[in-house]
Amino acid sequence: MKLFLRTMVKGRRSKRRRSPAASLTDDLVVEILCHLPARSVCRFKCVSTTWRDLISAHNRKLPQTLAGIFTMHDAENMMGSVPHFINVLGRDCPLVSPWFDFLPANQIYLLDCCNGLVLCSYWPTIHDCHLFVCNPATKKWVELPDSNLGNRPRGLCLGFNPTVSPHFYVFEFSHDYDDDFSLLGYGVQVYSSETGQWVRKGDNGISFFAHYYSHVFLNNGCVHYLTNDPAIAVVDTQGKACWSIPVPDNREYGFIQQSQGRLYYANFEADDEDQVVRFVVYVLEDYDNQRWTLKHTAEAFDVLGQESHNLARDFEWVAIHPDCNMIFYTVGWDKTLMSYDMDRRQVHVICTLGQDTREVYLPYVPLFSELQALHM
């Protein structure tokens, strides 16, 4: 493969000596690039203007995979937290800035990540919140206008699907109160990078996030999140509550993410004495009819490494791999980051994150395209 690509490059540079590889069509070149790591594809943009334009034009056809996980850690000798990046590829680090020092803020907090874009906040004062959406791979960013929610409790999540549109959405869920501060219900407003404005929706059947805040933006253009019912609420980019999907086991502490184009749900089952005994994974094979299929089951001991576990205290979901049957999670007081390969039934210890880790785990897939929505 490397020799073939070098031949292609030489063929493009030289007009006198044409290689057979130089006559390849653009579609065939893109097909070859689809099988290369993201880091290599990014470097090939420097070969020539022709290659740069070709890769940029077909970037949506060049799928990337999970490169690592962003985490937040308590800062030493200062208030607040600082972001870290954990590489899960087992090779050189991706082309990202884990410190986000390209943003015009001296201390940011990571909120969400979706298909290469990261949503983060900056609080210069307790009454002044600035929201940014950025691409760490290209260091492009945009600041969102004020949503005018003040200090009202809220839940924020990011929606972005580069295969459908270059535009992103930010969902802001909040509590609605009357003049006597009695809870009226829940509302949502959605920011669109296409319009550059927030659209506010009042109480229209919106359910609030579960306290463990598991959510995902699916390819159908809707954000899905777990509620305290428990169920999966579905909200579109207009802020409309579309429908609710029942979870397959009717238990708390579940986890949802998109993998291999489908919605996945993972959880642990307990026995009559409320002891964790089994790890289960379901996939929503039939979305329209809301039919779950049991994809994987394993003894809890094989996944957690001990006979019993206090899930609320010592266990945290991190991510489900977007391209394969692998799940990431932390175990123990020191937050040991681990992965479980469902196909091989193997557990792998990645690293120890430490007690100073906040409950923020953002799986990151690098995106090297130049989005118009992020041009400043």
Side-chain angles (χ1 to χ4, degrees):
M1 176 65 77
K2 292 182 179 179
L3 178 61
F4 184 60
L5 287 171
R6 284 199 296 267
T7 304
M8 293 170 62
V9 174
K10 291 180 180 179
R12 296 252 174 165
R13 285 179 175 175
S14 176
K15 294 183 179 180
R16 296 180 179 178
R17 294 184 303 167
R18 291 185 58 84
S19 162
S23 61
L24 293 176
T25 64
D26 288 348
D27 289 340
L28 188 53
V29 173
V30 171
E31 179 64 26
I32 295 173
L33 294 176
C34 286
H35 299 279
L36 298 178
R39 191 181 185 92
S40 298
V41 174
C42 188
R43 286 172 173 170
F44 288 149
K45 294 175 70 174
C46 301
V47 170
S48 66
T49 56
T50 301
W51 275 58
R52 181 200 63 195
D53 296 341
L54 178 65
I55 293 174
S56 298
H58 295 272
N59 188 272
R60 297 180 186 179
K61 297 181 180 180
L62 303 177
Q64 311 301 338
T65 189
L66 182 69
I69 297 166
F70 283 111
T71 63
M72 293 297 300
H73 294 254
D74 293 334
E76 296 182 2
N77 304 321
M78 61 183 296
M79 297 293 291
S81 304
V82 294
H84 286 198
F85 184 81
I86 309 299
N87 182 20
V88 300
L89 291 178
R91 53 177 183 261
D92 54 345
C93 293
L95 303 175
V96 298
S97 174
W99 293 99
F100 293 83
D101 50 3
F102 55 88
L103 292 176
N106 55 14
Q107 190 173 0
I108 58 99
Y109 195 85
L110 305 185
L111 299 173
D112 198 14
C113 187
C114 186
N115 290 320
L117 299 187
V118 178
L119 172 66
C120 46
S121 64
Y122 168 58
W123 293 79
T125 69
I126 60 174
H127 302 290
D128 186 17
C129 176
H130 297 259
L131 294 177
F132 298 92
V133 172
C134 65
N135 183 346
T138 63
K139 298 186 178 182
K140 299 293 184 179
W141 58 272
V142 64
E143 182 175 1
L144 275 58
D146 188 4
S147 61
N148 298 315
L149 280 184
N151 291 330
R152 191 182 305 177
R154 70 188 76 181
L156 287 156
C157 58
L158 177 64
F160 174 60
N161 185 353
T163 64
V164 176
S165 169
H167 302 290
F168 65 84
Y169 302 89
V170 176
F171 300 80
E172 188 171 49
F173 298 85
S174 62
H175 297 74
D176 288 339
Y177 298 93
D178 60 15
D179 295 337
D180 297 325
F181 297 100
S182 298
L183 181 63
L184 297 175
Y186 306 108
V188 61
Q189 54 185 358
V190 182
Y191 173 85
S192 167
S193 66
E194 183 175 12
T195 64
Q197 297 178 344
W198 291 94
V199 175
R200 172 72 178 174
K201 291 288 185 179
D203 185 12
N204 61 349
I206 293 290
S207 299
F208 206 64
F209 279 92
H211 58 277
Y212 38 91
Y213 199 60
S214 180
H215 64 278
V216 63
F217 186 78
L218 291 189
N219 290 336
N220 62 359
C222 295
V223 63
H224 298 59
Y225 60 93
L226 284 173
T227 66
N228 286 319
D229 295 337
I232 300 173
V234 182
V235 176
D236 65 16
T237 54
Q238 300 301 313
K240 178 183 177 181
C242 299
W243 51 81
S244 179
I245 302 174
V247 295
D249 60 356
N250 198 34
R251 295 181 61 87
E252 291 185 318
Y253 302 112
F255 183 70
I256 59 171
Q257 276 202 340
Q258 181 172 260
S259 179
Q260 301 165 78
R262 300 184 184 276
L263 181 64
Y264 274 55
Y265 173 88
N267 209 343
F268 286 92
E269 295 179 347
D271 58 18
D272 296 337
E273 298 179 354
D274 206 28
Q275 295 294 314
V276 175
V277 295
R278 190 171 297 105
F279 168 70
V280 292
V281 177
Y282 292 85
V283 58
L284 193 60
E285 295 282 2
D286 189 343
Y287 185 95
D288 294 335
N289 295 308
Q290 301 182 0
R291 292 177 181 173
W292 295 94
T293 300
L294 180 63
K295 183 177 183 62
H296 184 83
T297 180
E299 296 300 316
F301 176 81
D302 296 334
V303 178
L304 301 175
Q306 56 191 65
E307 294 182 0
S308 62
H309 210 86
N310 187 328
L311 295 182
R313 183 191 64 195
D314 299 327
F315 177 87
E316 291 173 345
W317 301 105
V318 174
I320 299 176
H321 199 289
D323 302 315
C324 62
N325 298 321
M326 182 175 293
I327 192 163
F328 299 86
Y329 51 94
T330 65
V331 172
W333 62 271
D334 59 350
K335 300 186 185 297
T336 301
L337 179 62
M338 307 174 71
S339 66
Y340 174 70
D341 188 325
M342 289 180 265
D343 294 334
R344 297 181 174 85
R345 294 183 175 271
Q346 293 179 350
V347 174
H348 174 66
V349 176
I350 299 174
C351 66
T352 298
L353 299 178
Q355 297 184 58
D356 64 343
T357 308
R358 297 288 186 94
E359 295 181 3
V360 177
Y361 307 104
L362 305 181
Y364 174 71
V365 177
L367 176 72
F368 294 104
S369 62
E370 299 288 343
L371 297 178
Q372 186 66 34
L374 294 182
H375 284 179
M376 296 298 294

